[in-house]
């Protein structure tokens, strides 16, 4: 069985931007949530347009709620809002007409 750290666990917080990225390695207390790690990372101060009520978050590409408790070496990802509906974009690329609703 792996030893549990009582001092903290290493995690990363990242956010992709059109012209770069934000990546911060942190050591957080055991029991820290995604929301707490994002706040502690400084991401919200460096990129003020991020709203955790709107932007989805996840760990390693899997969407998670803000109250998810982090585990050692998790990478928290804060996603940008979609610019277009993926189904509609696929239809446009394929040259199809939009379905009537």
């Amino acid at each position: 069985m792996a030893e549990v750290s009582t001092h903290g666990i290493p995690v990363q917080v990242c956010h992709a931007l059109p012209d770069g990225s934000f990546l911060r390695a942190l050591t957080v207390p055991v029991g820290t949530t995604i929301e707490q790690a994002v706040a502690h990372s400084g991401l919200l101060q460096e990129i003020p347009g991020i709203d955790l009520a709107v932007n989805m978050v996840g760990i390693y590409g899997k969407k998670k709620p803000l109250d998810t408790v982090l585990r050692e070496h998790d990478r928290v990802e804060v996603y940008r809002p979609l610019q277009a509906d993926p189904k509609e974009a696929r239809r446009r690329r394929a040259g199809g007409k939009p379905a009537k609703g």
Side-chain angles (χ1 to χ4, degrees):
M1 181 181 264
E3 184 177 323
V4 176
S5 171
T6 57
H7 299 293
I9 56 171
V11 298
Q12 293 181 327
V13 174
C14 64
H15 178 68
L17 301 163
D19 57 351
S21 63
F22 174 96
L23 178 63
R24 182 86 23 96
L26 309 167
T27 300
V28 297
V30 173
T32 296
T33 64
I34 288 176
E35 186 172 22
Q36 292 167 332
V38 170
H40 183 68
S41 73
L43 172 66
L44 302 176
Q45 289 76 26
E46 287 192 33
I47 307 170
I50 294 176
D51 180 355
L52 293 180
V54 175
N55 293 73
M56 298 185 94
V57 297
I59 297 174
Y60 288 114
K62 296 186 181 195
K63 293 178 193 172
K64 301 286 184 182
L66 289 170
D67 62 355
T68 300
V69 175
L70 298 174
R71 296 185 303 186
E72 193 169 16
H73 303 294
D74 276 347
R75 183 183 67 216
V76 174
E77 300 163 340
V78 179
Y79 305 118
R80 291 183 297 170
L82 291 176
Q83 297 299 314
D85 175 30
K87 290 180 185 178
E88 184 59 34
R90 196 173 312 118
R91 268 190 218 101
R92 282 196 307 270
R93 286 193 305 271
K97 297 187 186 218
K100 293 187 178 186

